[in-house]
Every structure is written in C-alpha cells, then in structure tokens.
Amino acid sequence: KNGREVWKSDGTAAGTAMIKNLQPGTEARYPVNIIAFNGEAYFDALGNALKPNPGRELFKTDGTAAGTVLVKDIRPGGSWASPGQFAVVGKALYFEAFGNGTGYEIYKTDGTTAGTVLLKDIRTGTGNSTVRFITDVGGIGYFRANNGTNGAELWKTDGTTAGTVLVADLRVGSGSSDPTSITAMGGACYFYANDGKTGQELYKTDGTAAGTAIVKELRAGTLNSIGGPIVAANGTLFFRGAGPNPAGGWELWKSDGTAAGTMI
C-alpha cells in the first residue's frame, strides 16, 4: 500500500506501525542507516512528502508523524547527499555526505538545520575523501579518510575544522595503509593497518603520529596476520589472527594492548 517506509515497534504486533509515509502512494522512500541520537532516530531517505524533491537527505523522527522531519537539505535541488557512515561521537552525530563542490566528506549535526555542517573538506575540491569507520574514542572521532596526497589513512576530529587532522601516514606517500575495524578500549584507539612492510597488523594510537605503532607483529614479513572485526570486552580485545606458522591458519586471539599481552 505504501512502499518501503519508516516504521517502529514496541515488540508487539499491535505496537508495530508505520510512522510516516514519506512518499504518499506505493512508491518507496527506502529509509536506511537508522541510528539513535539524542532520543530520536536519524536516517537517510527520500522524502518528497516533507520537501519537494529533496533527494536522499538527512531525516530524523521522534516516533510520531509530526516529529518526522527533514534535518537539512544538504544538496539542494533534488541531487542526492546520501548521508551514511553514521556514528555518535561525544554530543554530536557524525556522518559522511556528498556536498555540491566537495564530494563525499565528513559532516556533523546537533539535530538542527543550522547545526548540520561540513566539518572539513579533507580532499579539497570535488574529490571524495571516502570517510569510513567513524568511532568515538573518549569524545574524539577517529576515522579512515583519503586526502588525495597520503592515501587512505587514520584521521581524527575534535569536532572543529582545525581539529580534524591526519593522525599518521603509516604507508608513507600516496599509498594507503587502509585502517579498518577502528575500536576504542581504555581511552586508546585500536585498528588494523598495513604499512607496506609488515602486512596487515594490529595498531594502537594515542592520537599522535609518535604514539601510533604496531601492538605486536603476529606474522613476520608482508603476510597479513589479522582480519575481521575487533571486539573489546572487559579490557580485552578479541580478533581473528594468524601467527608465525602459516599452516596454523586463522584462530581466536586476544590483546590487552601490549605486545606481551597479545596471544592466541
């Protein structure tokens, strides 16, 4: 009857209902990337019922039809901003979106139109910095981005343009260390990266270039020794790793953030 729209549920059949038909009729608006922030749900959708032809933009809902609104038309005129990669960092919601003249870059919002802003044009001009894995580490947002000069590397932001900076160029030059699985534990930031010399390994950073280093090289040489998600639980990281013996295959490893405390 209504196409694919935004719904809510209290866990019962009677309490499961569509919140608002963003596009009257059977045409779907495909709300995606739903995330909770400040007691409301934020998402990416087409919403012609809320504003004529806004393209894919940032919406929010408090669970009522009247409270389901367009936060900001980031890319006016029907073009798609396509916000995604949502993450709550401190008191703001961070995300990636496509802006006219900037390509895909990092944005933040406090839930208001005026407070929804481009944080930094990391890859100056229309190129995409391709922000991924935004993670809150003690109120600082860590993420992967490519500025077009250093390749895809680890960045951080304190929520200001000046405070949005490259942490370390692990694969020096235009090559990418490609940090992934960014995880917070004990006030430190952990991630996988490949500096081109050691293969993909587990890294730790305190937010400075000097304080960014491999926790432990599980497999010497250029073979990758780590992959998949990192899970932090009770002061310990758990991950899939492969040790010095390739025949041993991939097994469950853990780490307390030190070389001595990283083991199968």
Side-chain angles (χ1 to χ4, degrees), residues 96-122:
E96 180 196 58
F98 193 105
N100 288 330
T102 62
Y104 282 101
E105 295 292 347
I106 188 166
Y107 283 73
K108 72 172 184 177
T109 184
D110 61 4
T112 68
T113 301
T116 303
V117 296
L118 171 68
L119 192 53
K120 187 169 186 174
D121 188 5
I122 292 172

Side-chain angles (χ1 to χ4, degrees), residues 18-245:
M18 184 174 67
I19 298 172
K20 186 167 187 172
N21 193 349
L22 300 180
Q23 175 60 50
T26 59
E27 186 178 353
R29 297 295 88 183
Y30 294 99
V32 295
N33 301 318
I34 301 171
I35 186 171
F37 174 61
N38 281 350
E40 296 178 301
Y42 287 70
F43 57 95
D44 162 24
L46 286 156
N48 292 3
L50 303 185
K51 184 172 182 178
N53 199 25
R56 295 205 70 90
E57 295 288 352
L58 181 65
F59 290 83
K60 69 176 181 178
T61 182
D62 62 2
T64 69
T68 302
V69 296
L70 174 70
V71 178
K72 186 172 184 176
D73 192 0
I74 294 171
R75 197 175 178 194
S79 297
W80 290 20
S82 299
Q85 303 296 321
F86 292 120
V88 177
V89 179
K91 296 181 179 180
L93 176 65
Y94 289 70
F95 59 98
E96 180 196 58
F98 193 105
N100 288 330
T102 62
Y104 282 101
E105 295 292 347
I106 188 166
Y107 283 73
K108 72 172 184 177
T109 184
D110 61 4
T112 68
T113 301
T116 303
V117 296
L118 171 68
L119 192 53
K120 187 169 186 174
D121 188 5
I122 292 172
R123 190 163 188 163
T124 306
T126 57
N128 302 322
S129 68
T130 315
V131 172
R132 296 290 183 272
F133 311 115
I134 304 170
T135 303
D136 185 350
V137 183
I140 301 296
Y142 285 80
F143 58 96
R144 183 184 73 184
N146 188 333
N147 64 3
T149 301
N150 302 105
E153 298 289 350
L154 184 69
W155 285 66
K156 69 176 182 177
T157 181
D158 62 4
T160 68
T161 300
T164 303
V165 295
L166 175 68
V167 175
D169 188 7
L170 294 177
R171 195 160 189 162
V172 179
S174 60
S176 300
S177 71
D178 197 24
T180 59
S181 299
I182 300 171
T183 305
M185 187 181 77
C189 177
Y190 295 85
F191 59 98
Y192 304 149
N194 186 336
D195 66 2
K197 300 175 183 177
T198 62
Q200 185 165 277
E201 298 285 353
L202 177 66
Y203 279 76
K204 177 181 180 179
T205 184
D206 62 4
T208 67
T212 304
I214 290 176
V215 174
K216 184 176 183 177
E217 189 176 1
L218 304 188
R219 181 186 284 180
T222 58
L223 290 174
N224 294 338
S225 66
I226 198 166
I230 302 173
V231 175
N234 296 326
T236 302
L237 300 172
F238 293 89
F239 56 92
R240 187 184 73 165
N245 181 6

